[in-house]
């Protein structure tokens, strides 16, 4: 059995029911919208975010979930899907998970409007059911994701990203949504408990580890996940590169920054930067940092009693670190 199927096993029934509820939450009277949302749903990913919601809810709720849990999972998936549609427009990306993106098939204007529609459906799902506590969690995540994207764009112009700024960006851009999944799961079954904040922190730590793992793919020898060196070509400052720049001599620092700024399309130069980062401890430093965040996440999880849901969350943590793409 594949690892994702193992993780999903204790919540298989909930995920099946969630699929139906999620499809209904996207429904519209506009035929074009239904055609596009049907296209999106049929090309869904692993659905890690709803899985986090249900596993946390069942761990905290001693095996029980409720209608709020399903709504929380639907809201998070609607918001996540909206951000992916918008991201493809911003990045001018024509592919998503190996298929054409919405903007490639229906152009940017329609893609932006579809993203807006999905965002509003997610917010209204909470408002219509008076899930104001869940709405607050997801609204904070949307705000932080937007701030993270803009902070990255602002800093990328000058490439003056310190480690602190890097972590600020990835906490907002990536970790905040996984943090929202985990706190939503806890809040759906135990709104007033301390578990909501504990699970938010757990999700944030996993999200940071997830992004560092993504950074490491840029330095792989095999083309797994994304092409080697693509972050450098796109002038994205990743943890291995930031560490190497900070530790470099004045001469090497100038060469590295110049390479990313002016020679990021030169394949030979990009390869030289990758080798420099590997040879000067950038990769090892990032790997150590990733495992540190993983340990902090496990420390939180291990304060909970044993259950099949906790076991699946432990497997999820391992999967985030060990995944091949």
């Amino acid at each position: 059995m594949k690892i994702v199927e193992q993780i999903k096993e204790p919540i298989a029934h909930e995920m099946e029911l969630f699929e139906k509820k999620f499809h209904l939450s996207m429904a519209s009277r506009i035929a074009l919208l239904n055609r596009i949302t049907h296209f999106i749903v049929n090309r869904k990913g692993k659905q890690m975010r709803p899985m986090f919601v249900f596993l946390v809810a069942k761990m905290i709720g001693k095996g029980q979930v409720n209608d709020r849990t399903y709504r929380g999972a639907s809201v998070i998936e609607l918001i996540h899907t909206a951000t992916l549609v918008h991201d493809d427009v911003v990045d001018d990306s024509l592919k998503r998970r190996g298929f054409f993106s919405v903007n490639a098939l229906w152009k940017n204007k329609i893609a932006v409007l579809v993203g807006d529609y999905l965002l509003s459906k997610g917010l209204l799902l909470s408002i219509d059911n008076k899930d104001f506590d869940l709405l607050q969690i997801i609204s904070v995540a949307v705000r932080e994701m937007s701030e993270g994207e803009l902070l990255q764009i602002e800093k990328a112009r000058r490439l003056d990203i310190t480690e602190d700024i890097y972590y600020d960006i990835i906490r907002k851009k990536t970790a905040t949504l996984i943090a929202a999944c985990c706190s939503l799961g806890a809040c759906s079954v135990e709104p007033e408990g301390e578990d909501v904040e504990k699970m938010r922190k757990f999700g944030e730590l996993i999200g940071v580890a997830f992004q560092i793992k993504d950074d490491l793919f840029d330095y792989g020898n095999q083309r797994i996940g994304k092409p080697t060196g693509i972050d450098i070509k796109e002038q994205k400052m990743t943890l291995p590169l930031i560490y190497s720049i900070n530790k470099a001599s004045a001469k090497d620092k100038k060469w590295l920054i110049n390479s990313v700024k002016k020679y990021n399309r030169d394949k030979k130069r990009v390869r030289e930067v990758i080798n420099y980062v590997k040879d000067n401890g950038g990769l090892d430093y990032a790997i150590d940092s990733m495992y540190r965040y993983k340990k902090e996440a496990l420390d939180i999880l291990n304060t909970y009693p044993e259950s099949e849901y906790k076991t699946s969350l432990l497997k999820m943590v391992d999967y985030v670190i060990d995944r091949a793409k």
Side-chain angles (χ1 to χ4, degrees):
M1 192 187 292
K2 286 183 178 177
I3 183 65
V4 176
E5 294 306 312
Q6 287 177 31
I7 293 166
K8 204 185 278 189
E9 204 172 2
I11 52 165
H13 170 71
E14 285 79 10
M15 288 298 291
E16 199 176 312
L17 191 52
F18 160 74
E19 290 270 351
K20 293 170 185 167
K21 288 176 182 281
F22 182 57
H23 289 195
L24 286 173
S25 72
M26 289 175 126
S28 162
R29 284 178 292 185
I30 311 294
L32 176 60
L33 254 176
N34 285 332
R35 203 154 62 240
I36 296 170
T37 54
H38 180 75
F39 170 83
I40 292 169
V41 165
N42 283 350
R43 283 147 191 81
K44 65 180 183 293
K46 298 181 185 75
Q47 294 188 307
M48 280 176 63
R49 286 153 193 85
M51 285 162 64
F52 270 120
V53 174
F54 286 114
L55 287 170
V56 168
K58 293 196 94 172
M59 183 180 77
I60 303 296
K62 297 178 173 57
Q64 300 300 310
V65 296
N66 54 38
D67 286 342
R68 274 163 53 84
T69 314
Y70 285 100
R71 290 197 294 271
S74 291
V75 168
I76 211 88
E77 195 68 350
L78 282 164
I79 302 296
H80 176 56
T81 307
T83 61
L84 294 182
V85 172
H86 281 165
D87 282 352
D88 287 340
V89 174
V90 171
D91 298 338
D92 202 21
S93 175
L94 302 179
K95 287 286 183 80
R96 166 69 60 184
R97 297 180 183 129
F99 297 96
F100 284 116
S101 57
V102 173
N103 51 301
L105 294 172
W106 286 280
K107 305 303 176 196
N108 284 348
K109 184 176 180 180
I110 288 175
V112 169
L113 292 169
V114 168
D116 291 347
Y117 172 78
L118 295 172
L119 181 63
S120 67
K121 287 290 273 188
L123 301 178
L124 283 168
L125 185 61
S126 296
I127 292 166
D128 290 345
N129 291 283
K130 296 183 169 51
D131 295 326
F132 299 120
D133 50 353
L134 305 186
L135 180 61
Q136 183 177 14
I137 291 168
I138 197 63
S139 297
V140 168
V142 171
R143 182 197 70 201
E144 295 212 327
M145 286 158 69
S146 303
E147 286 179 351
E149 286 286 357
L150 289 165
L151 180 60
Q152 185 174 51
I153 290 166
E154 178 194 328
K155 294 296 177 183
R157 287 174 180 162
R158 295 202 312 243
L159 301 185
D160 60 344
I161 294 182
T162 62
E163 243 183 81
D164 286 345
I165 292 170
Y166 165 82
Y167 280 118
D168 196 20
I169 289 169
I170 68 168
R171 275 194 191 97
K172 289 176 183 294
K173 261 191 71 178
T174 304
T176 192
L177 197 61
I178 297 175
C181 295
C182 297
S183 54
L184 274 173
C187 191
S188 71
V189 293
E190 197 184 272
E192 304 300 324
E194 62 179 27
D195 294 308
V196 177
E197 175 52 26
K198 273 177 79 174
M199 285 293 100
R200 186 204 67 76
K201 186 63 183 171
F202 165 76
E204 183 182 272
L205 292 163
I206 293 302
V208 171
F210 182 95
Q211 185 55 56
I212 296 173
K213 176 69 174 185
D214 237 33
D215 289 356
L216 293 168
F217 285 135
D218 216 36
Y219 296 87
N221 292 321
Q222 297 173 322
R223 300 186 76 178
I224 47 175
K226 52 186 177 181
T228 301
I230 200 165
D231 284 338
I232 295 167
K233 288 169 195 161
E234 292 177 359
Q235 297 182 316
K236 285 180 184 170
M237 296 292 278
T238 57
L239 188 57
L241 183 59
I242 291 165
Y243 174 84
S244 302
I245 288 172
N246 289 342
K247 293 292 176 185
S249 65
K251 183 185 169 192
D252 286 352
K253 185 180 285 192
K254 188 179 176 185
W255 176 81
L256 284 165
I257 291 172
N258 228 11
S259 299
V260 179
K261 262 189 176 174
K262 297 177 183 174
Y263 300 97
N264 55 312
R265 298 284 163 186
D266 180 333
K267 286 183 182 175
K268 183 172 178 289
R269 190 74 167 253
V270 169
R271 170 54 55 194
E272 287 170 359
V273 170
I274 287 172
N275 288 336
Y276 181 95
V277 171
K278 284 181 174 177
D279 294 344
N280 288 274
L283 227 55
D284 292 335
Y285 179 78
I287 290 167
D288 288 346
S289 300
M290 178 178 71
Y291 279 109
R292 193 174 70 248
Y293 278 94
K294 176 189 176 181
K295 183 188 178 302
E296 283 185 53
L298 292 178
D299 287 346
I300 292 173
L301 204 51
N302 285 325
T303 63
Y304 290 92
E306 296 305 314
S307 69
E308 57 184 324
Y309 317 111
K310 176 184 169 181
T311 300
S312 273
L313 283 167
L314 289 166
K315 285 179 183 172
M316 186 81 99
V317 173
D318 285 336
Y319 174 70
V320 163
I321 302 297
D322 299 333
R323 68 199 163 98
K325 62 180 178 178

